[in-house]
Amino acid sequence: MNYYVSLGYSQGVTTTGTARETTTLTGPGAARQHTLRERNLELVARAVFEVPEPLSRAGVAAATGLARATVSTLVDQLVAAGLVRELPAVTGGRAGRPAVPLVPAPRSVVGLGLEVNVDYLGVRVLDLTGDAVAERVVPGAFHDSDPAVVLSRLGDIAREVSDGVAASGMTVAGARLALPGLVDPRTARLEVAPNLGWSSLEPVPLLGLGALDVRVANEAKLAALAELAGGSDVVAPDSFIFVSGDVGIGAAIVVDRELFLGERGWNGEIGHVVVDPSGPRCSCGAFGCLEQYAGKEAMMRAAGLPPDAPLGSLVTLLADADADLPAGRALGSALADFVNLFDVSTIVLGGAYTELLPWLRADVEAVLADRVLAAPFVDLQVRAAQAGPQAALTGGAREVLQVVLADPAAWV
Amino acid sequence: MNYYVSLGYSQGVTTTGTARETTTLTGPGAARQHTLRERNLELVARAVFEVPEPLSRAGVAAATGLARATVSTLVDQLVAAGLVRELPAVTGGRAGRPAVPLVPAPRSVVGLGLEVNVDYLGVRVLDLTGDAVAERVVPGAFHDSDPAVVLSRLGDIAREVSDGVAASGMTVAGARLALPGLVDPRTARLEVAPNLGWSSLEPVPLLGLGALDVRVANEAKLAALAELAGGSDVVAPDSFIFVSGDVGIGAAIVVDRELFLGERGWNGEIGHVVVDPSGPRCSCGAFGCLEQYAGKEAMMRAAGLPPDAPLGSLVTLLADADADLPAGRALGSALADFVNLFDVSTIVLGGAYTELLPWLRADVEAVLADRVLAAPFVDLQVRAAQAGPQAALTGGAREVLQVVLADPAAWV
DNA sequence: CGTAATAGTTCATTCGTACAACAAATGCGG
DNA sequence: CCGCATTTGTTGTACGAATGAACTATTACG
């Protein structure tokens, strides 16, 4: 099943009949003729967008099971809408009329990724081909900042960038704002972001982006979506646990290429999983949370560095000394709980862990092998994240484009 | 989103065209005219089946958004197929032609729930109304038993019961076998069931049930599905964590009334979540697993009872003494991890915990309040299971009927 | 008893896909 | 160099399913 559920918008259908008969049914509503068309349009769009090498109309027909005639009309609509482009017919060494390769149209519809993090603001624009069309990342220090000021500044940058791409004829389909904290994508509320010192606010209006469709999500969740694009040589797994280590530690679960969000999008709080109840007190009030062992500040302190030293200093120190990070066993323990509870066999380590993985891997894998009940029967994989810097920006923009892809009919 | 994904059968569509064009697309395949009908049939069937009081054709039309004419033809098909029955028209105090109430047809199509557990074998048959049409539960001791012998015996009982209901004119739609261990519903393999002493086998053929569609699942998963029926007065939550405590401790996650299974259905292994790394060694080899604090044997031992004493003896002992169970804090700690990782706010305690809840609740709730990061923003609920004894039998049978409901077109 | 109201049915219309025939464009063998 | 097989893409007809409007059936109410 691969229906894409856009962030925070579930599809309950509430129908009200006469006074006596008011009933709510969840799930997709009544299917009409145009529902057929919408679904097949999506099918064709996915075939064009998600296949490694370009397909022809006939190829799409074969891949989808639709009749060639049907595919032709659908493709024509996508081309007319500017979502798909025809490449020159390729007359490659075999008989028959040459096929017209179909590719996602570059620089047509784009998605905006926005992010506020502790040490930067960022905006990134991706088009349907996955290319970064524009980008601005502004370093800063936003610990204990004023959300109104910071978000309005980010909004200014976003508007600037957005106006730029719009001036080149591209359509901005929407934006996703990544925040490091408890965010409910459905209500677009931020409950608390400890490292920003923000709490209980609605970030979207503060951006001042007018009618643009802006949704909010946790930073680790969007970074996980960025992983789905895969690396240059590494193909992305369909299901994985993504752990983003920084001052706080967040995680996301991707199953069958879809984010699992729980009831409110507040899942993946692996930073506060119990590692040792007799351990140090955490900022959350509990004792022995993972963050106290494998948070950035704890790792710095354990290495004899000041807690706010740059990550690079820890890396050079580790590269010289030939010792593993003590955080490895703690991280392994929390990950083992995660895997025992979720049954997802690939773990992608992002944020600070990406660089630190060489000094974590041995301990993490050893503890996983010890503690994961299914370890004898599964090939547990621990990988470094591939998505590059400010992954949440990429993931947010990708999420916007996924919504376009899920309903191309809205764009024809 | 409420598409029902039947246990272990995901719907990847692989289409093979000519030699050059072989492409795989996940998700539902091409939508044709008959797809429309199937989907609307499902919609109508769900409206009839999942609504508290009977709807008329007109009521279904209002609830689904379909035209009355369409609903009429669809309902007629369901009635002809024997899945839906018309009650006598009710001429209740208002003007107009009296409505014909539609209800699930009793004793027409039934589902079989099967279970092997440590202390019993069971078979239960449910019809579309949710009534138990037949049932056999045979006590026994199956610790370290021979799977071939036990499963063949269960198969015999199942065949007997199944033949009985078939003789009364009912159609058996399929069966689900619940097992206490690591089971992959997709491959129908049991990897290991520690408390039965079983490992690495394919249970379905050993039942000897011939062509009947039998699928396999973990006991806690199916028991969780039983919870969805709700209690006599309590309405079931749409999303919850179900924890089944016994010798081992298993759990299941239900989100939007659907089981979350992870990659292989091996999730929910909360019994081996870390409570205290300096704690006692677990049967799994690791240290300080929840099972060592809140497994049935550990709880018995902590209360000064023999580990294999019946649960009732612990209950009477607790009822006399006015003390909480020490397991409460450990259980709370593991549940806090679960909630932090999943973001599901309702916890249903099943198995032995159902009866023990009064002596667990205070500690569980206190630890949850301490350790769950989102606790200040959510109303965390801890409830006792409602589904009654051998819940997995009920859940398994329900699961079969859900598959019928998801594709009534197959029965018309 | 007539009228309003509600449930259910009948039928022409509309829309989207399938199938088959056809047109277009190429490679290849003689 | 030409005819033929081959593959792509298009055109036109047929079919299936939902719709809305009109119609029938059955009740309550004044």
Side-chain angles (χ1 to χ4, degrees):
Chain A
M1 181 114 41
N2 205 8
Y3 285 93
Y4 193 84
V5 181
S6 62
L7 268 185
Y9 290 74
S10 75
Q11 314 173 342
V13 175
T14 308
T15 318
T16 309
T18 62
R20 291 177 302 97
E21 334 250 27
T22 303
T23 312
T24 306
L25 285 178
T26 54
R32 334 262 154 118
Q33 298 282 91
H34 67 87
T35 314
L36 266 193
R37 168 127 306 186
E38 284 159 22
R39 236 166 46 71
N40 285 336
L41 248 191
E42 175 186 349
L43 196 67
V44 169
R46 285 196 189 279
V48 172
F49 282 60
E50 295 177 351
V51 155
E53 44 196 327
L55 290 174
S56 64
R57 286 171 171 79
V60 171
T64 57
L66 290 164
R68 285 212 312 275
T70 310
V71 169
S72 257
T73 54
L74 295 173
V75 165
D76 288 349
Q77 291 191 37
L78 292 175
V79 170
L83 296 176
V84 167
R85 178 160 302 175
E86 296 179 304
L87 294 184
V90 55
T91 157
R94 71 177 205 293
R97 175 173 172 175
V100 178
L102 303 167
V103 292
R107 327 261 138 164
S108 53
V109 175
V110 297
L112 239 64
L114 312 178
E115 183 177 5
V116 178
N117 217 317
V118 184
D119 48 355
Y120 65 89
L121 299 179
V123 176
R124 185 170 288 156
V125 185
L126 297 187
D127 74 359
L128 290 167
T129 69
D131 277 1
V133 168
E135 171 173 323
R136 291 241 346 239
V137 176
V138 181
F142 303 104
H143 194 82
D144 286 326
S145 56
D146 178 346
V149 173
V150 175
L151 287 170
S152 136
R153 174 128 168 259
L154 178 62
D156 289 344
I157 302 173
R159 203 173 317 107
E160 217 172 279
V161 173
S162 168
D163 287 352
V165 300
S168 320
M170 305 180 220
T171 308
V172 178
R176 299 293 178 267
L177 172 60
L179 294 171
L182 285 187
V183 195
D184 185 337
R186 291 170 314 176
T187 59
R189 267 184 71 80
L190 171 74
E191 220 54 68
V192 59
N195 296 325
L196 298 177
W198 297 5
S199 63
S200 299
L201 58 99
E202 301 203 353
V204 175
L206 298 177
L207 287 168
L209 286 176
L212 188 65
D213 172 33
V214 185
R215 302 178 198 174
V216 191
N218 172 273
E219 175 266 335
K221 309 288 180 292
L222 293 180
L225 288 181
E227 280 301 306
L228 283 174
S232 47
D233 48 347
V234 184
V235 59
D238 287 338
S239 303
F240 57 91
I241 292 167
F242 179 85
V243 181
S244 173
D246 208 290
V247 178
I249 307 172
I253 302 123
V254 174
V255 179
D256 289 338
R257 306 184 72 83
E258 248 180 74
L259 263 186
F260 176 89
L261 284 176
E263 282 187 85
R264 288 164 220 80
W266 295 349
N267 66 355
E269 286 298 340
I270 193 176
H272 302 279
V273 159
V274 181
V275 168
D276 185 341
S278 52
R281 184 174 195 127
C282 179
S283 61
C284 77
F287 290 88
C289 296
L290 174 65
E291 202 167 298
Q292 294 306 309
Y293 298 86
K296 192 188 154 208
E297 297 184 352
M299 291 191 290
M300 288 297 174
R301 227 175 261 124
L305 294 168
D308 57 347
L311 187 65
S313 60
L314 178 57
V315 172
T316 49
L317 189 131
L318 288 166
D320 292 347
D322 189 28
D324 279 1
L325 273 167
R329 295 196 63 83
L331 184 57
S333 162
L335 287 175
D337 287 353
F338 214 150
V339 174
N340 276 324
L341 292 176
F342 263 90
D343 179 31
V344 169
S345 59
T346 303
I347 297 166
V348 177
L349 294 179
Y353 295 147
T354 308
E355 269 190 272
L356 297 176
L357 183 53
W359 300 279
L360 292 167
R361 181 185 290 280
D363 281 341
V364 167
E365 288 181 346
V367 176
L368 284 176
D370 274 357
R371 296 212 69 105
V372 171
L373 203 67
F377 318 112
V378 194
D379 177 27
L380 285 174
Q381 294 206 18
V382 180
R383 307 184 177 186
Q386 302 282 329
Q390 300 98 32
L393 290 178
T394 303
R398 274 180 60 93
E399 216 274 338
V400 173
L401 296 174
Q402 281 293 324
V403 172
V404 174
L405 196 52
D407 186 22
W411 298 83
V412 304
Chain B
M1 177 117 39
N2 207 9
Y3 287 92
Y4 193 84
V5 181
S6 62
L7 268 186
Y9 289 74
S10 74
Q11 317 172 340
V13 176
T14 309
T15 318
T16 309
T18 63
R20 291 173 305 99
E21 333 249 30
T22 303
T23 312
T24 305
L25 284 178
T26 55
R32 334 262 157 120
Q33 299 282 91
H34 66 87
T35 314
L36 265 194
R37 167 122 314 181
E38 284 159 20
R39 228 153 70 59
N40 285 337
L41 249 190
E42 176 186 348
L43 197 66
V44 168
R46 285 196 188 279
V48 172
F49 281 61
E50 295 177 351
V51 155
E53 45 195 325
L55 289 175
S56 64
R57 287 171 170 79
V60 172
T64 57
L66 289 165
R68 285 213 312 274
T70 312
V71 170
S72 258
T73 53
L74 294 173
V75 166
D76 289 348
Q77 290 191 37
L78 292 175
V79 170
L83 296 177
V84 167
R85 178 160 302 176
E86 296 178 304
L87 294 183
V90 53
T91 157
R94 71 178 204 293
R97 176 172 169 175
V100 178
L102 303 167
V103 292
R107 329 262 138 162
S108 54
V109 175
V110 297
L112 240 64
L114 313 178
E115 183 177 6
V116 178
N117 217 318
V118 184
D119 48 356
Y120 65 88
L121 299 179
V123 176
R124 185 170 288 157
V125 185
L126 296 188
D127 73 0
L128 290 167
T129 69
D131 277 1
V133 169
E135 171 171 325
R136 289 245 342 242
V137 176
V138 181
F142 303 104
H143 194 82
D144 286 324
S145 56
D146 179 347
V149 173
V150 175
L151 287 170
S152 136
R153 174 130 167 258
L154 177 62
D156 289 344
I157 302 173
R159 202 173 319 106
E160 216 172 280
V161 172
S162 169
D163 288 352
V165 300
S168 322
M170 304 179 219
T171 308
V172 179
R176 299 294 178 267
L177 172 59
L179 294 171
L182 286 186
V183 195
D184 185 338
R186 292 169 315 176
T187 60
R189 267 184 70 81
L190 170 74
E191 219 55 68
V192 59
N195 296 325
L196 297 178
W198 298 5
S199 63
S200 299
L201 58 99
E202 302 203 354
V204 175
L206 298 177
L207 288 168
L209 287 176
L212 188 66
D213 172 32
V214 185
R215 301 177 197 174
V216 192
N218 172 272
E219 174 266 334
K221 310 287 180 291
L222 293 181
L225 288 181
E227 280 302 305
L228 283 174
S232 47
D233 49 347
V234 185
V235 59
D238 287 339
S239 303
F240 58 91
I241 292 167
F242 179 85
V243 181
S244 173
D246 209 290
V247 178
I249 307 173
I253 301 125
V254 174
V255 179
D256 291 337
R257 306 185 71 82
E258 249 180 72
L259 263 186
F260 176 88
L261 284 174
E263 282 187 85
R264 290 164 218 79
W266 296 348
N267 66 356
E269 286 298 340
I270 194 177
H272 303 279
V273 159
V274 181
V275 168
D276 185 342
S278 53
R281 183 173 195 128
C282 180
S283 62
C284 77
F287 289 87
C289 297
L290 175 64
E291 201 167 296
Q292 294 306 309
Y293 298 87
K296 189 186 155 208
E297 297 184 352
M299 290 191 292
M300 289 297 175
R301 225 175 261 125
L305 295 168
D308 55 349
L311 188 64
S313 61
L314 179 56
V315 173
T316 48
L317 191 132
L318 288 166
D320 293 345
D322 189 27
D324 279 2
L325 274 168
R329 293 197 65 83
L331 184 57
S333 164
L335 286 174
D337 287 355
F338 214 150
V339 173
N340 275 325
L341 291 176
F342 263 90
D343 179 31
V344 169
S345 59
T346 302
I347 297 166
V348 177
L349 294 180
Y353 294 148
T354 308
E355 269 189 275
L356 297 176
L357 183 55
W359 300 278
L360 292 168
R361 181 185 290 279
D363 280 342
V364 166
E365 288 181 346
V367 176
L368 284 175
D370 273 358
R371 296 213 69 106
V372 172
L373 204 66
F377 317 112
V378 195
D379 178 28
L380 285 175
Q381 294 206 17
V382 180
R383 307 185 178 185
Q386 303 281 329
Q390 299 98 33
L393 290 178
T394 303
R398 274 180 61 93
E399 216 274 338
V400 173
L401 296 174
Q402 281 293 323
V403 172
V404 175
L405 196 52
D407 186 21
W411 298 84
V412 305

